[in-house]
Amino acid sequence: MRWFNDSQSYGFVARALHWGTALLILGSYASVYFRRFFTEANTDFNWAVLQLHLSLGLTILTVTVLRIIWYVVDQRPTPEASSKSAVWGSRVGHALLYVILFSMPVTGYLGTGANTDFFWLFEIPKFESTRLFTFWVSERLNMTFAEFEFVVDYLHKDVGGALLVWMLIAGHISAALAHHFVLKDRSLRRMLGI
């Protein structure tokens, strides 16, 4: 097993971070929609599903930071794209995905009015209970948590749950499938490790 990337393919670490992120995103969205449509408000089960969503979100943030570090440390395989515009489009698409992968968990944490029971192992205090909230939001911005939460929730729920994120994800998947079935190059196989 090769841990690092080479000029032709992705190593185990890059592939694990990529597919792990995909599974975490799927779990995060599934948990929030499951909670919305299949649980009753103010029940223990509803609360447990919320805690799962919060835990997955913080895990996505951690994995995203690890992905950025790995991106800087490890080499990248030579792009399979056939033109400069395709390479540029791929880089822009990936950059936007990274913005979403970072901003969604951050805005989720900042706007959550509850502590996170991280996979029922330990508790992470809500942002409102931190010194940073008091220093930055209360004292510098002179905002209550309700005022701050309104703005952050808009970014997390309306922008993050909106069509833009799904378009980026669908674009990423479509590009991978187009590389595999239309262009018949190794882009998807490199990320699958075959």
Side-chain angles (χ1 to χ4, degrees), residues 3-168:
W3 293 90
F4 293 89
N5 301 340
D6 61 29
S7 64
Q8 298 303 310
S9 60
Y10 293 98
F12 175 77
V13 174
R15 291 193 320 268
L17 290 170
H18 176 272
W19 294 111
T21 300
L23 289 173
L24 288 166
I25 290 169
L26 183 63
S28 179
Y29 273 102
S31 63
V32 80
Y33 288 122
F34 181 86
R35 179 176 182 250
R36 181 180 298 169
F37 296 120
F38 299 108
T39 68
E40 290 184 41
N42 303 318
T43 63
D44 290 341
F45 186 56
N46 179 280
W47 181 254
V49 176
L50 172 64
Q51 289 299 321
L52 176 63
H53 177 71
L54 298 175
S55 297
L56 288 168
L58 291 174
T59 305
I60 290 169
L61 178 62
T62 304
V63 171
T64 299
V65 170
L66 292 174
R67 285 185 75 169
I68 292 168
I69 291 168
W70 195 253
Y71 182 84
V72 170
V73 169
D74 198 13
Q75 69 174 324
R76 287 169 294 289
T78 305
E80 291 276 342
S82 56
S83 69
K84 287 183 180 181
S85 61
V87 171
W88 182 83
S90 172
R91 289 187 178 149
V92 169
H94 279 98
L96 290 172
L97 282 170
Y98 274 100
V99 168
I100 293 297
L101 287 173
F102 186 79
S103 63
M104 289 304 299
V106 168
T107 56
Y109 171 72
L110 294 177
T112 299
N115 295 338
T116 300
D117 190 2
F118 189 76
F119 293 113
W120 301 274
L121 298 172
F122 56 88
E123 192 168 88
I124 299 171
K126 60 187 175 182
F127 180 63
E128 182 183 11
S129 299
T130 65
R131 289 182 181 167
L132 187 58
F133 174 80
T134 303
F135 174 78
W136 190 257
V137 178
S138 290
E139 295 174 2
R140 299 297 179 275
L141 298 176
N142 199 27
M143 294 174 78
T144 66
F145 181 73
E147 294 167 329
F148 178 73
E149 181 185 31
F150 178 79
V151 174
V152 175
D153 268 359
Y154 172 77
L155 294 172
H156 184 74
K157 294 177 181 174
D158 295 337
V159 175
L163 191 58
L164 173 65
V165 173
W166 288 110
M167 286 174 53
L168 282 171

